[in-house]
Amino acid sequence: MKRGNPDSPVILPDFCQPTAVLMLVLLGLLLSLLLTLAGAPTFDGFWITLGLTAMMVECVVLASSLLLCSGRKWLMRLSAPVAVGAIFGVIQIITVAFSLLALTLFPALLASSSDVEAWCWVVRNLMISLISSLVFVRYLALYRQWQLQVRSEANARLDALQARIRPHFLFNSLNTVASLIRTRPAEAEESLLDLSDLLRTGLRPGASHALADELELVRGYLRIESQRLGDRLQVDWRIADDLPLDQQIPALLIQPLVENALVHGIARRPGGGTLRIEAGALGRGRMRIRIENPMADPDDRRLDEDGNRMALVNISQRLELAYGDRARLATRVENGQFIAETTLPIEGR
């Protein structure tokens, strides 16, 4: 939950985030411990008092989080001051409700059963709730603000890395078309039509798109390259049926790996070779995309070693920004084949 009013700088906490709820639970346990230590002159009955206090505090915390999460859309439509007031109002109402319920279920909480003492106890809980909720909600708001700043910086870095790799894709495709203009003009015209379609997907703004769009981008790029390489390029597609094609992934994630396989591998072999593209789910909410190509001759390989490494580093950095430690790019050489494996999380599994 960001803000109720776009013109207001106030950022509201998101009570639907599991991390935020966990923080509230831990802070509630800490508050329960402090209240028990402050109110007990001796340690007689310490654990019973701590348990009852923690149960009371955590009930207020969880009920408030549930109610505020359910009303998230409503809070977002309010102005920032009204939304903040509504959050504190909900917490205080729940505190009073659970205080009265506790007096009904556990009358032994008070030394006497007088109405005055009962209401004093309720008011005491209300004051403690007001002070602690000011601290807790402010802490969650700062935490949410930090999250948004980190995400904004990560998106900016991701866009910058994306912008660096797009010219390579465009220039290599144009070079392929240029090489066909004099000798095979009809095929050059067909490649230009393919390239125009690719530009709509590969060079459009935005840091991500569906996996199906990325695979279609790869197919279009391979159609262009096949005009240049002819029979020297063989493509072996192995796409599993369980691959989540609607999954959002960083744009230009697979295509540069395929481009590397052609430019630094197959295109530098007199006899060409077979490009193998495998993709499928691994289980446990993960999927793998594997690009395999025969290695070029050692002399030709050294010419473009820096360019190959730059693209791989770029993809690794974008994976880290987009997924953290949940995704990785691993490369290896095996039996004369260069293998690049990308492991990604499957969102929602």
Side-chain angles (χ1 to χ4, degrees):
M1 182 166 52
K2 201 171 180 179
R3 335 182 235 201
N5 188 341
D7 299 329
S8 172
V10 178
I11 295 178
L12 302 178
D14 188 353
F15 293 94
C16 295
Q17 277 191 334
T19 304
V21 176
L22 177 60
M23 287 181 178
L24 286 176
V25 170
L26 295 177
L27 290 173
L29 290 175
L30 179 60
L31 176 62
S32 303
L33 179 60
L34 292 176
L35 292 174
T36 304
L37 290 173
T42 65
F43 284 98
D44 294 338
F46 173 80
W47 294 110
I48 295 177
T49 304
L50 177 61
L52 291 175
T53 304
M55 183 173 64
M56 170 75 179
V57 172
E58 296 301 348
C59 284
V60 173
V61 166
L62 294 176
S64 300
S65 299
L66 178 62
L67 192 57
L68 291 172
C69 177
S70 302
R72 177 186 179 187
K73 294 182 179 179
W74 174 73
L75 287 172
M76 292 179 66
R77 291 196 293 265
L78 301 175
S79 63
V82 175
V84 172
I87 290 174
F88 286 112
V90 167
I91 296 174
Q92 307 322 310
I93 291 173
I94 292 177
T95 300
V96 172
F98 274 100
S99 297
L100 295 176
L101 180 61
L103 287 177
T104 303
L105 298 178
F106 305 100
L109 288 172
L110 301 179
S112 65
S113 58
S114 66
D115 292 340
V116 175
E117 186 176 352
W119 281 109
C120 287
W121 186 76
V122 172
V123 172
R124 170 181 172 271
N125 290 344
L126 187 62
M127 295 301 295
I128 293 174
S129 173
L130 180 60
I131 296 173
S132 59
S133 59
L134 284 171
V135 176
F136 291 178
V137 172
R138 179 57 179 165
Y139 172 78
L140 288 181
L142 291 175
Y143 175 75
R144 180 62 175 164
Q145 185 177 16
W146 173 79
Q147 279 187 318
L148 294 175
Q149 288 176 347
V150 170
R151 186 178 303 170
S152 177
E153 292 174 1
N155 288 337
R157 290 184 59 195
L158 188 59
D159 288 340
L161 289 171
Q162 205 107 319
R164 289 178 58 188
I165 207 166
R166 281 171 177 151
H168 293 276
F169 158 64
L170 177 60
F171 294 155
N172 285 333
S173 299
L174 288 176
N175 286 335
T176 298
V177 174
S179 66
L180 299 173
I181 290 178
R182 290 188 178 181
T183 57
R184 290 177 284 175
E187 294 177 3
E189 181 180 359
E190 183 179 346
S191 296
L192 278 174
L193 294 176
D194 280 334
L195 180 57
S196 66
D197 292 334
L198 291 182
L199 294 181
R200 294 190 186 97
T201 302
L203 300 183
R204 67 187 178 188
S208 64
H209 58 194
L211 176 58
D213 293 334
E214 182 73 13
L215 292 178
E216 185 59 33
L217 180 67
V218 171
R219 291 188 179 94
Y221 175 75
L222 289 176
R223 284 196 298 269
I224 294 176
E225 288 297 322
S226 65
Q227 299 287 354
R228 177 171 66 96
L229 297 175
D231 294 337
R232 295 170 58 205
L233 172 60
Q234 303 295 324
V235 183
D236 182 10
W237 285 92
R238 300 186 181 186
I239 306 299
D241 295 334
D242 58 356
L243 189 68
L245 296 177
D246 57 345
Q247 164 96 23
Q248 291 291 312
I249 65 170
L252 291 175
L253 184 67
I254 304 173
Q255 187 274 335
L257 296 176
V258 173
E259 186 175 337
N260 271 2
L262 296 185
V263 175
H264 306 296
I266 294 175
R268 296 194 172 275
R269 294 170 57 89
T274 299
L275 171 70
R276 180 172 298 164
I277 303 174
E278 298 181 14
L282 291 176
R284 297 183 179 180
R286 300 169 67 201
M287 64 177 172
R288 181 184 65 186
I289 301 168
R290 171 173 165 152
I291 310 297
E292 181 177 341
N293 65 276
M295 297 282 291
D297 295 334
D299 293 338
D300 286 339
R301 195 186 313 159
R302 283 193 293 269
L303 293 175
D304 287 325
E305 186 176 356
D306 291 339
N308 185 27
R309 187 183 299 112
M310 185 199 70
L312 296 176
V313 170
N314 181 291
I315 294 173
S316 297
Q317 290 176 344
R318 289 194 288 136
L319 285 175
E320 183 178 358
L321 287 171
Y323 301 104
D325 59 358
R326 298 181 300 151
R328 69 186 185 95
L329 170 65
T331 61
R332 67 181 187 273
V333 177
E334 188 176 288
N335 298 325
Q337 299 282 319
F338 184 82
I339 301 172
E341 284 187 354
T342 306
T343 306
L344 303 172
I346 300 177
E347 302 298 338
R349 293 190 187 180

